[in-house]
Amino acid sequence: MTDTPTLVSAWKAAQGQLKAARIDSPAIDARLLLEAATGASRLEILTDPHRLLTTDQQTTLDAYIERRLRREPVSRILGRKGFWKIMLNVTPDVLSPRPDTETILDVAMLAFEPAQAFSVIDLGTGSGAILLAVLSERSGAHGVGTDISSEALAVARENAANLDLDGRATFLRTEWATGFGDASFDLVVSNPPYIPSDDIPGLDPEVRDHDPVLALDGGPDGLQAYRDLAPEIARILKPGGIFAVEIGWDQGPAVKALFEAAGLADVKIVKDLGDRHRVITNGPDPRTTPIRAS
């Protein structure tokens, strides 16, 4: 009998450590870290569970688990995160993309046909997640991502190149839509900072300690970005254009009022899969409009 860990025993041991520390989704986190440490795929863990780990692989896995126990997110440990159907590099300079943000994609996929040509701008693009997910799904689209962080833009450019989307994506350093002409875009998307300043210390360590404060802090009431964005979006949106902007779960009515005050019509609140307010848009609501096969 050998004490050398196997894929399945290493997975179970890592899962047990994470579970004991009350880490969310211990089985998934343990599997992702095991895959990265060993080079094994999810399928290989299931079909070849008794494959032995090398000493180096076990050492790497132990280091990963130790970092996760200190509440460092898996995306930070591995330097990448899946979003929609694409894989993105993430660094401490960008927000780690969240599944909730995919609600913006649900709206965009309904609003624009698969082969349709259209222009899109992602305001505060960070890793480029929203823009690149749209371009990956809509081959006729081209777009721009803006950010005030040069470091974030470097990450976004790298992600675009890795996805072979750099021919249709441009990234520019500017504040929101500053410098763009009126009625310039068919689709405007954004996931701005919306957490009230005083709430940031109480966030989960994975977010508070590892996401850039610039991407989280929405000012004293969490609404400052929307005050800035609403008139800008109304200005740069083409007639008949669509916008979709992420919001905090309790901000729907307040943000809706700001966008209506900016002159935008047919503003609605869209819920995410968790049934919480997540996106303000004038586009189709995925909850009430069947999603077409693309």
Side-chain angles (χ1 to χ4, degrees), residues 13-31 33 65 68-69:
Q15 185 177 333
Q17 286 181 273
L18 297 180
K19 191 172 183 179
R22 301 184 165 221
I23 300 286
D24 286 343
S25 59
I28 294 172
D29 287 6
R31 177 177 59 78
L33 296 174
I65 295 299
R68 187 68 189 99
L69 290 171

Side-chain angles (χ1 to χ4, degrees), residues 239-276:
I242 301 294
F243 72 88
V245 176
E246 183 166 336
I247 57 171
W249 65 271
D250 58 349
Q251 295 173 326
V255 178
K256 183 173 185 282
L258 287 170
F259 276 77
E260 288 171 340
L264 290 154
D266 194 28
V267 182
K268 59 180 75 76
I269 304 167
V270 171
K271 291 181 177 180
D272 60 23
L273 293 176
D275 210 37
R276 306 214 292 185

Side-chain angles (χ1 to χ4, degrees), residues 144-179:
V144 181
T146 71
D147 210 291
I148 57 172
S149 165
S150 299
E151 293 80 9
L153 291 169
V155 175
R157 288 190 185 102
E158 183 181 21
N159 282 326
N162 290 342
L163 294 164
D164 290 327
L165 294 171
D166 43 340
R168 291 190 284 130
T170 306
F171 296 96
L172 294 171
R173 186 173 185 271
T174 188
E175 187 169 10
W176 301 130
T178 301

Side-chain angles (χ1 to χ4, degrees), residues 3 26 29 37 47 52 64 134 156 167 210 221 233 237 240 276 292:
D3 290 326
D29 287 6
T47 58
L52 299 179
Y64 286 167
V134 170
H210 296 282
D221 62 357
I233 289 175
L237 199 62
R276 306 214 292 185
R292 293 184 298 262

Side-chain angles (χ1 to χ4, degrees), residues 6 9 91 138 234 290:
T6 62
S9 70
T91 73
R138 295 292 182 258

Side-chain angles (χ1 to χ4, degrees), residues 97-242:
R98 314 275 198 274
D100 292 340
T101 304
E102 294 180 356
T103 309
I104 292 176
L105 272 294
D106 291 332
V107 174
M109 294 305 98
L110 280 173
F112 295 91
E113 298 284 349
Q116 189 173 347
F118 63 96
S119 58
V120 54
I121 187 168
D122 181 7
L123 304 173
T125 194
S127 66
I130 303 172
L131 174 64
L132 297 174
V134 170
L135 298 184
S136 73
E137 290 277 355
R138 295 292 182 258
S139 59
H142 64 277
V144 181
T146 71
D147 210 291
I148 57 172
S149 165
S150 299
E151 293 80 9
L153 291 169
V155 175
R157 288 190 185 102
E158 183 181 21
N159 282 326
N162 290 342
L163 294 164
D164 290 327
L165 294 171
D166 43 340
R168 291 190 284 130
T170 306
F171 296 96
L172 294 171
R173 186 173 185 271
T174 188
E175 187 169 10
W176 301 130
T178 301
F180 290 94
D182 297 357
S184 295
F185 294 95
D186 300 297
L187 174 64
V188 180
V189 293
S190 183
N191 177 19
Y194 55 72
I195 297 169
S197 305
D198 290 346
D199 290 358
I200 290 176
L203 295 174
D204 286 344
E206 286 86 344
V207 176
R208 181 190 67 220
D209 299 338
H210 296 282
D211 279 329
V213 172
L214 189 67
L216 300 172
D217 193 340
D221 62 357
L223 300 175
Q224 188 53 52
Y226 303 109
R227 293 190 187 94
D228 298 336
L229 278 170
E232 278 291 89
I233 289 175
R235 181 181 70 78
I236 64 171
L237 199 62
K238 287 183 180 179
I242 301 294

